[in-house]
Amino acid sequence: MRRFKLKDRYKTTQVHALNPADTSTSTTAAAVSTTTSTKPNQHHQDLPTLNSILSRSDDTNSMSTAEALLPFGLPTTEFLEPPIDPYLKSIDLVESLADLYRRVKNCSESDKSSVYLEQYSLLCSLSDPKLPRRCLQLARQHAVDVHSKVVLSAWMRYERREDEFAGTSALDCTGRFLECPQAALVSGYDPNSVFDPCQCIRTANNTSSIDISTEDDCLSSEDDESVCFCIGNEDINCVRGKIAALSVPLKVMLYGNFIESESGRIDFSRIGISVDGMRAVRVFSRSRRLESCLPNVVLELLSFANRFCCEEMKSACDSYLASLVCDIEDSLILIDYGLEERASLLVASCLQVILRELPSCLYDSKIMSIFCSVEARERLATVGHASFLLYCFLSQVAMEAKIPANVTIMLLERLRECATERWQKALAFHQLGCVLLERKEYKDAQCCFEAAVEAGHVYSMAGVARTKYKQGQRFSSYELINSLISEYKAMAWMFQERSLYNLGKKKNLDLDDATKLDPTLPFPYRYRAVALVEDNQIGAAISEINRIIGFKASPECLELRAWFFIVLEDYQAALRDLRALLTLDPTHMMFHGRLRGDHLIELLGQRIQQWSPADCWLQLYDRWSSVDDIGSLAVIHQMLTNDPGKSLLLFRQSLLLLRLNCQKAAMHSLRLARNHSSSKSEKLVYEGWILYDTGYRKEALNKAEESISLQRSFEAFFLEAYVLADTTLNPESASHVIQLLEEALRCPSDGLRKGQALNNLGSIYVDCGKLELAADCYVNALEIKHTRAHQGLARVYHLKNERKAAHDEMTKLIEKAQNKASAYEKRSEYCDRDMANKDLSMATQLDPLRTYPYRYRAAVMMDDQRETEAVEELTKAIAFKTDLQMLNLRAAFHESMGGFTSALRDCEAALCLDPNHKDTIDLYNRTLGQAHVPT
């Protein structure tokens, strides 16, 4: 069903963290929340586990050590709660995605941008960050007005965090049209230019070198009648017809039935314009240009243009002033003028600077005064810059950055006021309810959740139940969630929520049902692990938490496992988890903000033998070769503690984070690697990886080639080879990739990366049918402990019809690797059907996010004419991982069974995830014809 591709630079879908060799004898266990009691002494009374362990020693230092490392005790089940997710959750995600695809397909170009924003809000509930990011790109692509372009381009930049590049500013153009700050200030939609490279140059808008203050020869030898405008003791002579042509009011004044039309001298002293300003009016009336005006003069012109309805002059002033906004200071000064004079483009330019500085500028009270109050929103609305889109962006940033709650609530209130469609109201009320719940304002939160439910968001019922529970209405909460389970198709979050209001065995049954429906939910593992700790079963608790850490690493679960290891006095394992945790989230605070992670690391470090730099490299090789990503991450964290500016280590860190599906953290590490690079050629390589990982392959290739032109290096050749190989290779391109990898191997590098290059080179040789050369590459990779090469060597054996040898090779990988899910999955291809099913079941057990086992089992069922079971197998997985390939396969099954309506729905949902997926497009068009449904 698939072929091995050259895509193992770092990317796998598994996330594993089994114990290293020195802790493998410890019983492994499961998850516990970091929620803690506010009464530490009571915690110690409630946790005989900790006391019983401490009582094993008569040494009083044991108690002081434990108290230092566990100052707030361990969490208890009484205080554990899953969060209410602050995004839209559909009760039928596949149907919702299909509906969105149909709406995009049938709506006008001007409406597509708002539909893609709705799609973004829905896809935020999925675990793949690339899907919502693509929605933002599509929304920006179809945006027509300047306001939408400014907000969406800033939002895209926020997702990419370009501001973390040292030496760049918020308004620097990256060369991509959709993110260009200048392109965002141009109204209109050109579908043919959105993917073109941006050619913008930030220059003053239509200015020249003429100084108008010395421009006294404006009265040329024209025969037209002149008029003199008096300001104080100064006279400014103008051409009456030119001034009259500026607007209808001026024309009426100068040629209508007014005294001014008969006068050659008009007093403008009380109009509110200076002598320099009136001279600028004179120049503009003749040239229709702003000639080297000082900003304060242009502001006078803007006010004059508004007073006399000079639209052309107002537009020119608006554009000119907009071009001057370069930083936050400029924007804070000019935005008030723009709002006062209703200069929409100037306000847009100011907003663009502010939005592209997020999230840091949200802490500035002056900037918040622009957005937060009702009056501020109304002022923005007068110039067309108060929108649901704007406040949706601001609210999301505020919630992610944990901006002080009052600011976040005010932004959400403005979001609610801007909401017009049902989904917008649902999102605004639901997010406001989440923030109020966190602030323990339960009654107000309940009202917000109820309003979200009224707007059609069923998931907000969980918020209603939670707020009632917090107000002492446990039974009412139970009845509410129970009715949901009866009324709708049961979902994992429903059972998880009902477990809070159940007791004893029923609580455990609900948690087990939640795990069966969605094995990726962390809370059930955490609760079960804490319960085991309360029963003095620490080893079993670690085993339980390992089930979720094995494929979905999170700071909360790693923190919990670290506490368990501290109780067992396995400080090395605890330190490993804490270092990995702080790599995922450097700002994470233990015990809900009560303890700094680096402080706890310092305390633990005093209780173990410290590694030298050489020891660290040996440990890294050992963990990397044993496919222990969490352990490798921890070693690199320790190495970076001693050498924080080491770009090579930061790059290695990014590779591991990508393996663990922590893309934002990985991009952060890559940017740091780029910023700490010691040479331009090295910097170009890391910029190339960033471009590749965000979908810009051509630009990534350019970076690699430029780097090689400056200095030949392993990473530059490897980058170019990897990007080129991530396409359908023909013999010519495959030959070029081979040359690049061979050049990379000739350059200095460490064994970790050379093993990867040999592995990739072997994959290309296999695709070219050069099996012996491929085998040599894999063997050489294994000699330098690149354990994953066992998989490539097994493929070679398989292609040679040596099935048992292939199976044995994968068995070696299983024996060596701590993260085994992919190895079991691959070995299944070299087994008979029964053994394959066992291996795939093990792969699913270790990592339920891997989709191949579900697709394989479903295909076998279809071959056995068990169509209903085949569809159910895919449906079970789609319920918690809405995957393109599984939707496509289920659509094909429905088509073969004559269920054309269901097939179309699955195709539409798949195309909502990727509108360019060729196989799905073909299936969709074929099914449309069979179902006779009009397009």
Side-chain angles (χ1 to χ4, degrees):
M1 294 183 61
R2 64 176 188 177
R3 292 171 61 239
F4 182 83
K5 291 289 186 180
L6 173 55
K7 292 186 179 181
D8 59 343
R9 171 173 73 97
Y10 46 71
K11 296 184 179 179
T12 61
T13 56
Q14 74 269 29
V15 182
H16 302 280
L18 303 182
N19 297 333
D22 57 342
T23 62
S24 60
T25 56
S26 302
T27 316
T28 43
V32 180
S33 168
T34 58
T35 308
T36 61
S37 170
T38 57
K39 297 180 180 180
N41 293 334
Q42 182 65 38
H43 259 261
H44 286 288
Q45 294 171 12
D46 293 339
L47 287 173
T49 299
L50 183 57
N51 288 334
S52 64
I53 290 173
L54 294 175
S55 65
R56 287 181 293 180
S57 174
D58 295 329
D59 187 353
T60 56
N61 288 332
S62 296
M63 177 64 76
S64 60
T65 296
E67 288 177 347
L69 297 178
L70 296 167
F72 305 104
L74 288 169
T76 65
T77 54
E78 180 183 358
F79 297 100
L80 281 178
E81 288 181 6
I84 301 294
D85 295 324
Y87 40 68
L88 294 181
K89 263 189 177 181
S90 174
I91 205 72
D92 186 346
L93 182 58
V94 173
E95 179 56 42
S96 297
L97 292 175
D99 177 64
L100 283 167
Y101 175 77
R102 291 190 292 268
R103 286 165 56 194
V104 168
K105 186 178 179 183
N106 296 322
C107 73
S108 65
E109 289 294 329
S110 59
D111 292 333
K112 284 184 178 181
S113 186
S114 62
V115 180
Y116 282 124
L117 179 63
E118 181 180 355
Q119 184 177 321
Y120 168 87
S121 301
L122 188 61
L123 291 178
C124 282
S125 64
L126 303 183
S127 58
D128 186 353
K130 291 183 179 180
L131 294 176
R133 189 179 300 124
R134 186 183 61 81
C135 292
L136 287 179
Q137 184 178 16
L138 289 169
R140 168 64 183 88
Q141 178 184 339
H142 291 89
V144 176
D145 60 286
V146 167
H147 173 75
S148 297
K149 290 181 178 181
V150 163
V151 176
L152 288 166
S153 62
W155 201 337
M156 291 171 64
R157 183 178 185 275
Y158 171 77
E159 291 292 333
R160 288 167 52 83
R161 302 294 202 281
E162 287 287 348
D163 55 317
E164 293 183 29
F165 273 6
T168 62
S169 74
L171 292 180
D172 284 345
C173 180
T174 61
R176 294 178 286 280
F177 183 87
L178 292 182
E179 297 177 43
C180 174
Q182 284 299 289
L185 295 175
V186 179
S187 183
Y189 169 61
D190 181 2
N192 297 319
S193 66
V194 291
F195 295 111
D196 293 343
C198 187
Q199 303 295 328
C200 81
I201 301 176
R202 288 191 62 83
T203 57
N205 190 33
N206 294 327
T207 61
S208 71
S209 60
I210 302 174
D211 185 351
I212 80 163
S213 62
T214 61
E215 182 66 14
D216 289 330
D217 59 344
C218 284
L219 283 176
S220 62
S221 58
E222 296 184 36
D223 296 329
D224 201 351
E225 181 184 1
S226 66
V227 61
C228 179
F229 293 94
C230 302
I231 301 175
N233 297 323
E234 294 283 343
D235 292 345
I236 298 95
N237 295 312
C238 302
V239 177
R240 182 181 294 268
K242 297 290 186 181
I243 298 295
L246 291 176
S247 72
V248 172
L250 286 173
K251 182 178 181 180
V252 172
M253 181 182 75
L254 295 174
Y255 288 108
N257 297 321
F258 294 97
I259 295 175
E260 289 85 356
S261 64
E262 302 297 330
S263 173
R265 195 168 186 273
I266 301 173
D267 187 4
F268 260 26
S269 297
R270 290 191 291 268
I271 294 299
I273 191 169
S274 67
V275 173
D276 287 341
M278 196 61 212
R279 286 174 178 164
V281 171
R282 177 180 64 187
V283 173
F284 186 86
S285 71
R286 292 187 160 208
S287 65
R288 291 299 193 269
R289 292 187 304 163
L290 300 174
E291 308 286 2
S292 289
C293 295
L294 295 174
N296 63 309
V297 174
V298 180
L299 287 171
E300 288 189 58
L301 286 182
L302 180 61
S303 179
F304 180 91
N306 269 327
R307 177 184 289 268
F308 291 101
C309 302
C310 306
E311 294 303 323
E312 186 179 359
M313 182 188 293
K314 179 179 179 179
S315 178
C317 293
D318 197 3
S319 298
Y320 180 93
L321 291 169
S323 71
L324 300 180
V325 183
C326 295
D327 53 36
I328 290 288
E329 184 178 354
D330 291 341
S331 65
L332 289 176
I333 294 171
L334 291 173
I335 195 168
D336 282 334
Y337 286 103
L339 291 169
E340 184 70 24
E341 301 295 344
R342 299 190 179 186
S344 181
L345 192 63
L346 173 58
V347 174
S349 185
C350 294
L351 283 178
Q352 177 161 251
V353 172
I354 294 170
L355 296 178
R356 293 171 78 89
E357 292 286 355
L358 291 174
S360 59
C361 65
L362 280 183
Y363 295 94
D364 190 321
S365 59
K366 293 180 181 178
I367 289 176
M368 282 302 92
S369 67
I370 297 170
F371 301 111
C372 286
S373 68
V374 175
E375 294 76 15
R377 181 189 65 79
E378 290 173 348
R379 289 184 75 198
L380 288 171
T382 61
V383 288
H385 288 293
S387 67
F388 181 85
L389 173 64
L390 171 66
Y391 283 102
C392 187
F393 177 32
L394 290 171
S395 300
Q396 177 176 312
V397 174
M399 288 187 291
E400 286 184 0
K402 296 180 174 59
I403 300 299
N406 288 338
V407 171
T408 303
I409 285 179
M410 285 191 286
L411 290 172
L412 287 167
E413 287 284 1
R414 305 294 82 77
L415 178 69
R416 178 182 58 79
E417 293 164 1
C418 292
T420 55
E421 300 179 41
R422 279 173 60 85
W423 76 268
Q424 294 176 346
K425 294 176 182 178
L427 179 63
F429 278 115
H430 181 75
Q431 292 186 336
L432 186 54
C434 289
V435 175
L436 290 170
L437 175 62
E438 188 175 344
R439 283 166 60 97
K440 300 182 180 180
E441 299 176 21
Y442 301 128
K443 191 64 179 177
D444 291 339
Q446 180 182 336
C447 292
C448 289
F449 285 128
E450 288 172 343
V453 173
E454 183 68 22
H457 191 226
V458 176
Y459 175 64
S460 292
M461 293 287 279
V464 177
R466 190 73 64 86
T467 52
K468 286 187 173 184
Y469 172 64
K470 293 294 186 180
Q471 297 173 76
Q473 304 172 42
R474 177 191 285 266
F475 183 73
S476 177
S477 299
Y478 174 84
E479 286 293 303
L480 189 61
I481 300 301
N482 205 43
S483 66
L484 275 182
I485 295 174
S486 302
E487 183 178 354
Y488 297 98
K489 181 180 178 181
M491 301 181 71
W493 64 263
M494 297 178 185
F495 288 102
Q496 175 177 271
E497 190 66 28
R498 192 174 71 174
S499 72
L500 295 179
Y501 320 125
N502 249 325
L503 298 171
K505 291 184 178 180
K506 289 185 177 180
K507 179 187 285 285
N508 292 329
L509 287 174
D510 276 347
L511 291 171
D512 291 343
D513 286 339
T515 299
K516 288 176 185 176
L517 290 171
D518 184 355
T520 69
L521 285 178
F523 175 74
Y525 300 95
R526 294 162 57 200
Y527 184 92
R528 287 188 290 260
V530 172
L532 288 166
V533 169
E534 291 177 340
D535 289 338
N536 291 338
Q537 301 180 53
I538 304 246
I542 295 175
S543 295
E544 179 66 21
I545 202 68
N546 276 348
R547 291 174 60 196
I548 182 77
I549 292 177
F551 62 89
K552 189 177 182 181
S554 70
E556 293 76 16
C557 290
L558 286 169
E559 178 183 354
L560 191 57
R561 191 170 71 173
W563 298 135
F564 298 162
F565 281 125
I566 289 173
V567 172
L568 293 178
E569 299 181 7
D570 188 347
Y571 300 134
Q572 189 71 59
L575 193 58
R576 174 204 62 203
D577 285 348
L578 290 173
R579 289 191 180 281
L581 182 163
L582 291 179
T583 303
L584 298 178
D585 182 5
T587 64
H588 185 83
M589 297 284 287
M590 312 296 163
F591 289 120
H592 287 273
R594 298 181 184 181
L595 185 66
R596 285 175 49 188
D598 56 353
H599 177 63
L600 185 56
I601 285 177
E602 183 180 348
L603 292 175
L604 286 171
Q606 296 171 4
R607 290 163 175 81
I608 61 173
Q609 183 177 354
Q610 296 297 311
W611 292 337
S612 67
D615 292 332
C616 286
W617 276 107
L618 290 174
Q619 294 289 338
L620 181 58
Y621 268 87
D622 182 58
R623 282 156 177 72
W624 197 289
S625 65
S626 63
V627 197
D628 176 12
D629 295 329
I630 294 291
S632 300
L633 210 56
V635 175
I636 289 180
H637 182 274
Q638 180 173 349
M639 296 167 79
L640 284 169
T641 302
N642 300 323
D643 192 358
K646 190 73 170 178
S647 58
L648 174 66
L649 293 175
L650 289 164
F651 178 55
R652 298 293 192 275
Q653 186 180 77
S654 73
L655 303 183
L656 289 164
L657 288 166
L658 283 170
R659 261 193 213 149
L660 294 168
N661 294 325
C662 302
Q663 192 176 46
K664 283 191 176 181
M667 291 299 101
H668 178 72
S669 292
L670 261 180
R671 282 187 291 272
L672 289 177
R674 179 264 186 198
N675 290 343
H676 287 94
S677 297
S678 58
S679 65
K680 184 178 180 180
S681 60
E682 186 183 14
K683 183 181 296 185
L684 288 167
V685 170
Y686 299 143
E687 289 178 2
W689 280 123
I690 291 171
L691 287 165
Y692 171 77
D693 289 326
T694 49
Y696 295 94
R697 296 183 180 180
K698 183 177 180 181
E699 291 87 345
L701 279 175
N702 292 338
K703 293 286 185 182
E705 291 169 355
E706 186 180 353
S707 177
I708 292 170
S709 70
L710 295 174
Q711 181 179 344
R712 293 165 53 88
S713 70
F714 175 92
E715 292 299 347
F717 282 117
F718 190 93
L719 169 61
E720 185 176 359
Y722 191 86
V723 176
L724 285 174
D726 193 16
T727 57
T728 302
L729 290 175
N730 55 42
E732 182 178 352
S733 58
S735 176
H736 183 46
V737 171
I738 289 171
Q739 288 180 332
L740 290 169
L741 287 172
E742 288 175 342
E743 290 294 333
L745 289 166
R746 293 189 186 101
C747 297
S749 185
D750 58 72
L752 300 177
R753 293 299 279 160
K754 290 212 170 185
Q756 185 66 68
L758 285 166
N759 196 63
N760 289 5
L761 183 56
S763 299
I764 299 296
Y765 279 136
V766 169
D767 288 340
C768 296
K770 301 177 180 180
L771 301 184
E772 295 303 324
L773 290 174
D776 289 341
C777 288
Y778 293 130
V779 169
N780 289 333
L782 288 171
E783 288 179 354
I784 53 177
K785 294 187 177 182
H786 187 76
T787 308
R788 289 181 175 87
H790 283 297
Q791 182 169 315
L793 194 55
R795 185 184 175 204
V796 170
Y797 287 135
H798 175 65
L799 292 173
K800 290 181 175 181
N801 293 320
E802 299 176 19
R803 194 178 182 86
K804 185 179 183 306
H807 180 276
D808 293 344
E809 200 65 35
M810 289 309 302
T811 301
K812 293 177 184 177
L813 178 56
I814 290 170
E815 291 170 350
K816 292 180 181 179
Q818 293 202 29
N819 305 331
K820 305 175 188 295
S822 63
Y824 276 112
E825 179 183 300
K826 188 64 181 177
R827 191 176 72 171
S828 70
E829 298 181 21
Y830 312 131
C831 305
D832 58 38
R833 179 178 287 191
D834 289 340
M835 289 298 297
N837 282 329
K838 289 182 180 179
D839 276 353
L840 290 175
S841 295
M842 180 59 73
T844 298
Q845 180 181 333
L846 293 172
D847 183 358
L849 289 172
R850 301 188 74 85
T851 62
Y852 175 75
Y854 303 102
R855 291 185 285 126
Y856 176 87
R857 287 189 290 263
V860 170
M861 292 171 187
M862 284 297 288
D863 288 343
D864 294 342
Q865 298 183 341
R866 296 152 58 195
E867 292 93 347
T868 302
E869 292 177 62
V871 170
E872 288 176 352
E873 177 70 17
L874 293 175
T875 301
K876 178 176 65 177
I878 289 171
F880 63 86
K881 184 174 175 60
T882 309
D883 176 77
L884 174 68
Q885 296 291 343
M886 287 195 290
L887 285 169
N888 177 270
L889 185 59
R890 191 172 72 171
F893 288 174
H894 281 308
E895 182 205 28
S896 69
M897 297 162 61
F900 300 122
T901 301
S902 297
L904 283 175
R905 179 204 59 196
D906 284 350
C907 284
E908 288 163 344
L911 291 172
C912 187
L913 300 177
D914 183 358
N916 300 314
H917 191 253
K918 187 177 183 306
D919 290 344
T920 304
I921 292 172
D922 294 341
L923 177 59
Y924 178 63
N925 292 333
R926 186 170 67 246
T927 307
L928 273 176
Q930 292 171 324
H932 304 291
V933 177
T935 59

